[in-house]
Short mmCIF file of all heavy atoms in Angstrom, two decimals:
data_model
loop_
_atom_site.label_atom_id
_atom_site.label_comp_id
_atom_site.label_asym_id
_atom_site.label_seq_id
_atom_site.Cartn_x
_atom_site.Cartn_y
_atom_site.Cartn_z
N ASN A 342 26.81 22.16 4.08
CA ASN A 342 28.12 22.06 4.67
C ASN A 342 28.85 23.39 4.66
O ASN A 342 29.45 23.76 3.70
CB ASN A 342 28.99 20.88 3.76
CG ASN A 342 30.27 20.58 4.44
OD1 ASN A 342 30.83 21.36 5.22
ND2 ASN A 342 30.69 19.41 4.14
N GLU A 371 26.60 18.97 -4.10
CA GLU A 371 27.98 18.71 -3.61
C GLU A 371 28.18 19.22 -2.14
O GLU A 371 28.85 18.76 -1.39
CB GLU A 371 29.05 19.46 -4.46
CG GLU A 371 30.46 19.23 -4.11
CD GLU A 371 31.24 19.97 -5.03
OE1 GLU A 371 30.82 20.51 -5.98
OE2 GLU A 371 32.53 19.82 -4.74
N GLN A 383 15.81 10.34 -1.30
CA GLN A 383 16.76 10.47 -2.40
C GLN A 383 17.46 9.19 -2.73
O GLN A 383 18.32 9.40 -3.72
CB GLN A 383 17.64 11.60 -2.27
CG GLN A 383 18.04 12.32 -3.41
CD GLN A 383 19.03 13.57 -3.15
OE1 GLN A 383 19.34 13.84 -2.03
NE2 GLN A 383 18.97 14.59 -4.08
N ARG A 399 8.90 10.31 21.63
CA ARG A 399 9.88 11.14 22.28
C ARG A 399 10.09 12.53 21.69
O ARG A 399 10.51 13.44 22.24
CB ARG A 399 11.28 10.51 22.23
CG ARG A 399 11.29 9.29 23.28
CD ARG A 399 12.81 8.77 23.17
NE ARG A 399 12.80 7.66 24.11
CZ ARG A 399 13.31 7.74 25.27
NH1 ARG A 399 13.72 8.92 25.77
NH2 ARG A 399 13.32 6.73 26.15
N GLU A 466 10.85 -19.67 20.57
CA GLU A 466 11.29 -19.73 19.18
C GLU A 466 12.37 -18.50 19.03
O GLU A 466 13.55 -18.68 18.35
CB GLU A 466 10.20 -19.55 18.17
CG GLU A 466 10.61 -19.75 16.78
CD GLU A 466 9.46 -19.63 15.81
OE1 GLU A 466 8.25 -19.70 16.24
OE2 GLU A 466 9.66 -19.63 14.55
N ILE A 483 13.33 -20.40 30.98
CA ILE A 483 13.56 -18.91 30.88
C ILE A 483 12.20 -18.33 30.48
O ILE A 483 11.78 -17.31 30.96
CB ILE A 483 14.60 -18.52 29.93
CG1 ILE A 483 16.00 -18.83 30.46
CG2 ILE A 483 14.43 -17.05 29.48
CD1 ILE A 483 17.16 -18.72 29.40
N SER A 509 21.59 -14.85 27.25
CA SER A 509 22.99 -14.72 26.83
C SER A 509 23.88 -14.80 28.15
O SER A 509 24.93 -15.47 28.09
CB SER A 509 23.20 -13.38 26.12
OG SER A 509 24.54 -13.07 25.94
N LEU A 538 14.32 -5.16 41.67
CA LEU A 538 15.35 -6.27 42.04
C LEU A 538 15.07 -6.49 43.51
O LEU A 538 15.14 -7.63 43.93
CB LEU A 538 16.72 -5.59 41.76
CG LEU A 538 17.22 -5.51 40.43
CD1 LEU A 538 18.56 -4.62 40.30
CD2 LEU A 538 17.41 -6.79 39.74
N GLU A 546 13.63 -14.92 48.86
CA GLU A 546 14.22 -15.32 50.23
C GLU A 546 13.15 -15.58 51.14
O GLU A 546 13.37 -16.47 52.11
CB GLU A 546 15.03 -14.06 50.80
CG GLU A 546 16.36 -13.80 49.91
CD GLU A 546 17.03 -12.50 50.38
OE1 GLU A 546 16.35 -11.67 51.18
OE2 GLU A 546 18.07 -12.23 49.96
N LEU A 562 5.43 -26.07 30.84
CA LEU A 562 6.44 -27.03 31.16
C LEU A 562 5.78 -28.40 31.53
O LEU A 562 6.31 -29.46 31.22
CB LEU A 562 7.37 -26.57 32.26
CG LEU A 562 8.08 -25.43 31.95
CD1 LEU A 562 9.04 -24.94 33.11
CD2 LEU A 562 9.00 -25.53 30.62
#
Side-chain angles (χ1 to χ4, degrees):
N342 189 335
E371 183 182 354
Q383 208 175 17
R399 288 178 177 268
E466 189 175 353
I483 291 172
S509 176
L538 288 171
E546 289 174 353
L562 297 183

